[in-house]
Amino acid sequence: MAEEKKGFFKRLVSGLTKTRDNIVAGFDSIFSGFSSIDDDFYEELEEILIMGDIGINATTSIIENLKKEVSERRIKEPMECKQLLINEIKDQMRVDSTEYEFENRKSVVLVIGVNGVGKTTSVGKLAGKLKDQGKKVVLAAADTFRAAAGEQLTEWAHRAGVEIIGGQAGADPASVIYDAVAAAKARNADVLLCDTAGRLHNKKNLMEELRKIYKILEREYPDAYLETLVVLDGTTGQNALAQARQFAEVANVNGIILTKLDGTAKGGIAVAIQSELDIPVKYIGVGESIDDLQKFDADAFVNALFDVDHKETPDAQNYD
Ligand SMILES: Nc1nc2c(ncn2[C@@H]2O[C@H](COP(=O)(O)OP(=O)(O)OP(=O)(O)O)[C@@H](O)[C@H]2O)c(=O)[nH]1
Ligand SMILES: [Mg+2]
């Protein structure tokens, strides 16, 4: 278990290399380049945070809080700001453990998002994770739009060792959900994970489709806890933020799965989403294999970003 945690932290550190190069290299040059903490210093810090996709909101509060701390503690050396900055960034992105309630009760998890962001992959990875925790998982292949979508999820179901309920291509997604609910009830499943189609919906179609699905869930499975997760592609930076905002307008979004953080310089978007929209990033994806999805942990994320403490930190984190 500890080995596994370490392994993931290592992958996180290496996955965030580009983001780190993008943000942290800039910090270091400021911390060592400035001899005093003045307006120029703050301005440059602000610029790096904005360029690192951390978002206006988070950047503003990080800088304001930093100024306050610096003056209260009478800090004079730019280098001494580094740890304060790390702490401020962490504070922007804490996720309460109650946010994972759906993992611990009978639940339905609806996974939505636009084309190609990693919905099916994330459903597969999440299935593997929950199965490993000893949970009974059923998958609903409610992407009936793309012909190959069912096969793709079936492969994941085999990999994770869980059951899958699908429908014919072109079938009504709500009818697949209906069948999947029946299966989940019959097998006394802990979690029903629903993959959905990612075609670019217009807002009206999306609302209509979600409304039908929610209606079936409310009617057929009223005792299941409903969790709606939006999947966002971390490589798309500000675009991901805009998508999250749009989905939040049409659905009761409980959280975000942020994928493809490996190999992107835009990982700072994780901070922006949390701070701008107040929707927690609950999972992050840092690769294509089944183990490459983990609960988001602000401390581990920011430590990985700054590449600090990564020898001691993993065991102290709540990766499970
Ligand atoms: N590197 C990397 N690739 C990922 C990650 N998550 C998903 N992918 C890849 O992204 C591609 C698209 O993933 P899918 O899971 O098919 O995306 P989707 O949202 O289901 O796509 P549609 O159903 O077509 O809308 C695949 O090649 C995945 O392997 C990740 O965390 N890291
Ligand atoms: Mg898919």
Side-chain angles (χ1 to χ4, degrees), residues 20-90:
R20 181 164 51 246
D21 289 349
N22 188 23
I23 303 181
V24 178
F27 285 153
D28 284 343
S29 81
I30 295 187
F31 291 130
S32 55
F34 274 80
S35 53
S36 67
I37 300 172
D38 54 17
D39 287 349
D40 283 349
F41 170 80
Y42 286 121
E43 251 167 53
E44 286 218 15
L45 260 189
E46 193 167 353
E47 198 178 313
I48 289 171
L49 291 168
I50 301 268
M51 297 301 282
D53 282 300
I54 280 177
I56 305 282
N57 230 351
T59 299
T60 309
S61 24
I62 289 167
I63 298 284
E64 269 174 20
N65 294 342
L66 187 65
K67 281 182 178 170
K68 217 162 67 198
E69 289 273 302
V70 163
S71 106
E72 273 170 14
R73 298 181 188 208
R74 300 173 197 282
I75 289 171
K76 296 277 179 285
E77 289 297 316
M79 209 56 202
E80 288 176 60
C81 288
K82 185 168 177 177
Q83 192 55 46
L84 292 179
L85 184 71
I86 291 174
N87 296 345
E88 290 301 337
I89 296 176
K90 284 180 184 171

Side-chain angles (χ1 to χ4, degrees), residues 89-101:
I89 296 176
K90 284 180 184 171
D91 281 348
Q92 294 295 316
M93 34 191 348
R94 299 223 181 268
V95 184
D96 212 307
S97 61
T98 57
E99 296 290 359
Y100 298 97
E101 193 168 341

